[in-house]
């Protein structure tokens, strides 16, 4: 008889699987399902990145193990990127670590800094990996509710003394998945003060740092003076350069935390393929014009859907970044019942807000990851549902 570890059995069932099962069923019946549930770019990786990969893949020097912490070309490119983008100085040897995607690094961070029973502040709604990762490390998540009225910023002043004392880590994610919420540097200043005063490590997930619209520039937590004393920041090539499958990201900031994570990881993995790291270095050193082109596409999709949804009775706000719209379900629905209705009656998949935490009740997340022609089709199908009349 094969037994499975309790830590795996305790993981909640994958939230997206039920919708994917229904999708497969509907597609079998011939329904043309439009999937706005997947949070991954639909656009291809820029040619210049792919070309560097091809070149480096042919070089036998790159067929060997990478240094555990990543190759120097990649780490130097990350440091240069921080200098150029944020005017932040980083030592590529001690303050930068290559990751096999930032998800890997986030989950391993919890393993590297938490002892059993340690608590972590996680955004609610937030990227589900935080809570699962904390659970796997034997820690406990304390949900930080993010509300529309407060601009989706945590209310640090309302956190209890007990929770401040037992927390070791604060996770933040702006521009936010699933909210599409963005902040100014001031929010990071407040979070930094809170972390410093309570001796809590601040971990910023900047997966969408470059996906911004209309001249808005997302700040880095490391722009806060002395932030390197108590903060780290995760970055990823996945979303900004359409490289989700390549598995390349990084973490920067506090060198003690970086060292701990590097030590842990050297016992788990052997870093990423050197050719992938070098291609990613080329991407980070580029003039970012490819990113700007993608952003123009996302912004056009966002504005199209923003206008249409509000007209149809699905209230949503314009975003300054990410590839998501966070929308209120019409009266009379829950997040889940509305997402089900959209799938069953319109063949459109969205993600119920509750997949990202209890504060997501009453909302859905819509990914802007299909062409504008497909979005026109989404709008045509939603119009037929006559949502406005129904909720009156
Ligand atoms: C996609 C995503 C990540 C993970 O990206 P990687 O592909 O693992 O680099 C991390 N955080 C958030 C919020 C994301 O949406």
């Amino acid at each position: 008889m094969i037994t499975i570890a309790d830590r795996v059995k305790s993981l909640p069932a994958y939230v997206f699987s039920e919708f994917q099962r229904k999708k497969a069923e509907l597609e079998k019946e011939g329904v043309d399902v439009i999937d706005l549930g997947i949070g991954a770019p639909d656009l291809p990786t820029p040619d210049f990145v792919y070309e560097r990969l091809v070149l480096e893949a042919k070089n036998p020097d790159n067929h060997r193990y990478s240094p555990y912490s990543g190759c120097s070309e990649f780490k130097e490119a990350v440091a240069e990127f921080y200098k150029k983008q944020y005017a932040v100085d980083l030592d590529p040897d001690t303050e930068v670590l290559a990751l096999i995607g930032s998800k890997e690094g986030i989950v391993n961070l919890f393993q590297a800094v938490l002892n059993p029973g340690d608590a972590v502040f996680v955004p609610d709604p937030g990227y589900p990996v935080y809570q699962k990762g904390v659970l796997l490390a034997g820690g406990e998540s304390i949900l930080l509710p993010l509300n529309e009225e407060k601009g989706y910023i945590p209310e640090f002043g309302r956190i209890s003394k007990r929770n401040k004392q037992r927390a070791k880590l604060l996770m933040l994610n702006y521009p936010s998945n699933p909210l599409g919420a963005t902040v100014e540097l001031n929010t990071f200043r407040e979070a930094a003060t809170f972390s410093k005063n309570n001796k809590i490590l601040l971990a910023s997930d900047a997966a969408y740092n470059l996906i911004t619209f209309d001249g808005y520039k997302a700040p880095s937590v490391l722009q806060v003076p002395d932030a390197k004393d108590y903060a780290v920041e995760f970055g990823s090539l996945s979303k900004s350069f359409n490289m989700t499958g390549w598995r390349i990201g990084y973490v920067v900031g506090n060198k003690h935390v970086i060292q701990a994570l590097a030590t842990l990881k050297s016992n788990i993995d052997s870093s990423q393929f050197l050719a992938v790291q070098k291609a990613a270095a080329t991407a980070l050193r580029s003039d970012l014009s490819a990113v700007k082109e993608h952003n123009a596409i996302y912004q056009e999709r966002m504005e199209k859907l923003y206008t249409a949804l509000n007209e149809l009775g699905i209230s949503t706000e314009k975003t300054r970044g990410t590839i998501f719209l966070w929308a209120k379900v019409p009266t009379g629905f829950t997040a889940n019942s509305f997402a089900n209705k959209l799938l069953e009656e319109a063949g459109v998949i969205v993600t119920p807000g509750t997949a990202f935490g209890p504060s997501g009740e009453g909302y859905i997340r819509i990914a802007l990851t299909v062409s504008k022609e497909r979005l026109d089709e989404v709008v045509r199908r939603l119009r037929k549902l006559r949502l406005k009349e129904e909720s009156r």
Side-chain angles (χ1 to χ4, degrees):
M1 182 57 186
I2 294 160
T3 60
I4 301 299
D6 292 343
R7 89 172 70 81
V8 172
K9 284 196 272 183
S10 70
L11 285 171
Y14 190 53
V15 280
F16 304 98
S17 53
E18 178 63 13
F19 281 89
Q20 291 304 322
R21 190 188 57 75
K22 267 195 198 157
K23 176 186 177 181
E25 233 167 60
L26 287 169
E27 279 178 337
K28 231 194 224 160
E29 293 167 17
V31 179
D32 168 28
V33 177
I34 305 178
D35 196 339
L36 307 180
I38 297 172
D42 56 312
L43 307 166
T45 305
D47 276 344
F48 73 94
V49 181
Y50 158 78
E51 279 158 16
R52 178 86 198 273
L53 173 79
V54 171
L55 193 73
E56 297 300 337
K58 286 181 183 159
N59 181 350
D61 289 347
N62 293 326
H63 298 171
R64 289 176 283 186
Y65 284 124
S66 160
Y68 284 119
S69 66
C71 70
S72 46
E73 182 182 342
F74 177 71
K75 292 192 292 180
E76 280 161 16
V78 172
E80 279 168 32
F81 170 76
Y82 264 75
K83 184 74 184 166
K84 210 161 72 174
Q85 186 74 6
Y86 306 116
V88 166
D89 288 306
L90 290 172
D91 176 352
D93 288 332
T94 58
E95 294 174 333
V96 181
L97 175 65
L99 300 172
I100 309 172
S102 59
K103 181 181 185 177
E104 175 266 297
I106 292 165
V107 171
N108 277 324
L109 173 74
F110 300 135
Q111 298 287 339
V113 303
L114 298 181
N115 283 316
D118 283 344
V120 180
F121 291 117
V122 298
D124 165 31
Y127 184 50
V129 168
Y130 308 144
Q131 279 199 59
K132 310 272 171 65
V134 170
L135 192 72
L136 286 173
E140 190 193 321
S141 291
I142 304 172
L143 302 185
L144 279 186
L146 305 181
N147 301 314
E148 201 175 339
E149 310 81 67
K150 303 285 173 199
Y152 298 116
I153 292 164
E155 291 182 84
F156 294 112
R158 290 190 55 178
I159 295 172
S160 73
K161 198 172 163 196
R162 188 175 116 74
N163 281 344
K164 279 187 230 177
Q165 279 167 349
R166 64 198 189 100
K168 272 199 79 176
L169 182 62
L170 163 63
M171 274 309 309
L172 288 182
N173 168 226
Y174 296 102
S176 155
N177 173 13
L179 302 167
T182 52
V183 294
E184 302 299 335
L185 185 58
N186 216 31
T187 298
F188 285 152
R189 277 200 201 99
E190 263 178 54
T193 305
F194 174 82
S195 294
K196 200 171 169 178
N197 290 348
N198 297 291
K199 299 190 167 59
I200 294 170
L201 171 65
L202 173 56
S204 154
D205 178 356
Y208 298 90
N209 57 356
L210 292 180
I211 306 189
T212 57
F213 316 136
D214 259 348
Y216 167 71
K217 201 170 164 190
S220 159
V221 88
L222 297 186
Q223 287 174 299
V224 178
D226 305 330
K228 275 194 246 171
D229 292 345
Y230 45 84
V232 291
E233 187 159 80
F234 289 90
S236 171
L237 283 280
S238 288
K239 315 293 161 58
S240 38
F241 292 94
N242 306 326
M243 291 169 68
T244 49
W246 294 52
R247 311 313 302 135
I248 184 76
Y250 54 83
V251 59
V252 296
N254 185 274
K255 62 179 184 216
H256 304 292
V257 174
I258 301 265
Q259 180 57 56
L261 191 49
T263 302
L264 174 79
K265 274 171 57 60
S266 70
N267 286 283
I268 296 175
D269 64 65
S270 301
S271 196
Q272 180 51 279
F273 181 24
L274 284 164
V276 167
Q277 293 187 52
K278 290 174 183 179
T282 297
L284 288 173
R285 281 176 163 151
S286 71
D287 61 4
L288 306 182
S289 56
V291 179
K292 287 190 191 97
E293 280 168 35
H294 307 147
N295 288 352
I297 295 172
Y298 291 129
Q299 184 176 358
E300 190 183 4
R301 293 173 181 175
M302 184 272 291
E303 283 176 355
K304 174 188 280 292
L305 212 52
Y306 157 81
T307 308
L309 290 178
N310 282 303
E311 279 169 14
L312 289 167
I314 304 172
S315 148
T316 184
E317 279 176 58
K318 268 197 192 187
T319 59
R320 294 193 296 175
T322 77
I323 54 175
F324 306 112
L325 276 180
W326 184 246
K328 241 187 204 137
V329 305
T331 357
F333 290 100
T334 63
N336 216 50
S337 72
F338 191 61
N340 269 307
K341 181 185 172 78
L342 293 187
L343 178 54
E344 282 160 14
E345 296 175 26
V348 173
I349 295 187
V350 299
T351 311
T354 42
F356 306 98
S359 297
E361 185 52 277
Y363 293 86
I364 51 170
R365 186 194 75 175
I366 302 164
L368 303 165
T369 48
V370 300
S371 69
K372 60 181 187 200
E373 289 73 26
R374 291 293 272 170
L375 289 180
D376 285 332
E377 174 61 17
V378 168
V379 173
R380 267 194 294 278
R381 293 185 192 180
L382 294 186
R383 198 164 282 137
K384 285 197 202 135
L385 297 181
R386 303 190 173 282
L387 294 166
K388 257 186 166 163
E389 289 161 38
E390 209 170 273
S391 62
R392 225 177 263 149

